DNA sequence: TATTGTTATACTCTATAACTATA
DNA sequence: TATAGTTATAGAGTATAACAATA
């Protein structure tokens, strides 16, 4: 029986294989380069590294309820990783930012994850790395909002 | 100031960007193609689709404690997605497998995830898809055990 | 009255320790 | 005595509902 190859079929097959590859890498990074804090805490630190945010903003970005974010932030504050600051003009608002310890921890975690990934790529040829370089740029472009 | 580019630096930069791209895709698949069951339940169904396994094997593979797996499996059994069977010769052992409903649910979930990914790739040219095809194969080879 | 954030309470997933059944 | 699995209990993370403070 001949294999019928249509563009649609190719696309779905590629989508499947690519998704599996990405999710497998993601899973193994989280498992094998697991660090000092939980994933949801890491995620919040990463958001706060971009810019100062309020609890409400973080809850929306991370798609959790405000009470959950209150709890997560509270834990990070207790660990000395995040700083709470009052707003100058609106007494309801809280501004959250990373402490130096929070910045240092985030940097360590990221280095650990990058090291895991780099170790997988070490055996590749220059040509293969160039292929992945271009594929990475393409992926970034394709999934951006 | 000239940019100094060493092979090591390139490798780490690629590892970082590639890791970020993969984890972002993984995250968005889980968020935006979220289905009827929780991620840890999905993961167990996927393992049981490969082959019949015992609770202890699943706990080891998923890196959770045996009691946690007992609970997860219990929930899946209650939902009619997984079947428990006694071992013929060893009364302590339990064999777990997917029910038809479990197989169907797993198939639906995977189709939903693939559809999300395929939608991102739709706008790509044939040349770009070929690039991703080769990158996907490379990734699979690089991270395999 | 609307908004921001927290507290009250409950449910789920996780873990360690203890227990049951079997080998 | 060791192994496979479950039950007992407790610790996080999450959710909805109710509350406090502020605009």
């Amino acid at each position: 029986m001949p294999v019928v190859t249509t563009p649609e079929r190719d696309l779905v097959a590629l989508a499947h294989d690519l998704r599996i590859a990405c999710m497998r890498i993601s899973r193994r990074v989280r498992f094998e380069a697991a660090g000092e804090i939980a994933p949801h805490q890491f995620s919040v630190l990463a958001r706060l590294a971009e810019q100062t945010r309020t609890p409400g903003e973080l809850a929306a970005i991370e798609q959790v309820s405000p009470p959950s974010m209150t709890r997560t932030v509270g834990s990070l504050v207790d660990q000395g990783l995040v700083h709470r600051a009052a707003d100058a003009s609106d007494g309801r608002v809280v501004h959250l930012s990373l402490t130096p310890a929070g910045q240092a921890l985030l940097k360590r975690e990221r280095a650990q994850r990058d090291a895991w990934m780099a170790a997988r790529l070490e055996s590749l040829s220059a040509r293969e790395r160039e292929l992945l370089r271009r594929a990475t740029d393409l992926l970034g472009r394709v999934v951006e909002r």
Side-chain angles (χ1 to χ4, degrees), chain A:
Chain A
M1 185 167 122
V3 175
V4 179
T5 306
T6 66
E8 287 76 14
R9 187 180 175 77
D10 279 351
L11 179 65
V12 173
L14 172 59
H16 176 80
D17 294 346
L18 180 57
R19 175 178 75 73
I20 294 296
C22 289
M23 295 188 82
R24 181 172 295 157
I25 287 171
S26 178
R27 179 186 177 85
R28 290 191 57 187
V29 166
R30 280 181 287 121
F31 264 59
E32 296 176 29
E36 307 162 43
I37 57 173
H40 69 288
Q41 294 180 327
F42 176 89
S43 199
V44 165
L45 292 190
R47 294 300 183 177
L48 292 180
E50 299 164 359
Q51 63 181 84
T52 293
R53 296 187 198 270
T54 66
E57 288 169 350
L58 286 176
I61 292 169
E62 296 298 317
Q63 300 186 28
V64 298
S65 67
S68 291
M69 190 50 69
T70 290
R71 184 182 257 276
T72 297
V73 167
S75 169
L76 292 171
V77 169
D78 290 345
Q79 293 174 72
L81 303 172
V82 165
H83 174 71
R84 277 197 186 97
D87 185 89
S89 61
D90 187 336
R92 299 169 302 179
V93 173
V94 174
H95 295 287
L96 304 170
S97 58
L98 292 187
T99 63
Q103 293 174 21
L105 175 56
L106 184 61
K107 188 175 176 181
R108 276 202 304 283
E109 298 274 330
R110 284 175 162 164
Q112 202 171 333
R113 292 171 174 215
D114 287 346
W116 183 91
M117 190 77 240
R120 312 295 124 188
L121 304 181
E122 243 168 14
S123 63
L124 298 183
S125 69
R127 182 179 290 277
E128 289 171 327
R129 291 183 193 184
E130 175 57 25
L131 174 65
L132 285 187
R133 173 81 265 165
R134 289 195 290 166
T136 298
D137 294 340
L138 199 51
L139 285 181
R141 192 148 54 73
V142 152
V143 301
E144 78 189 358
R145 78 225 90 264

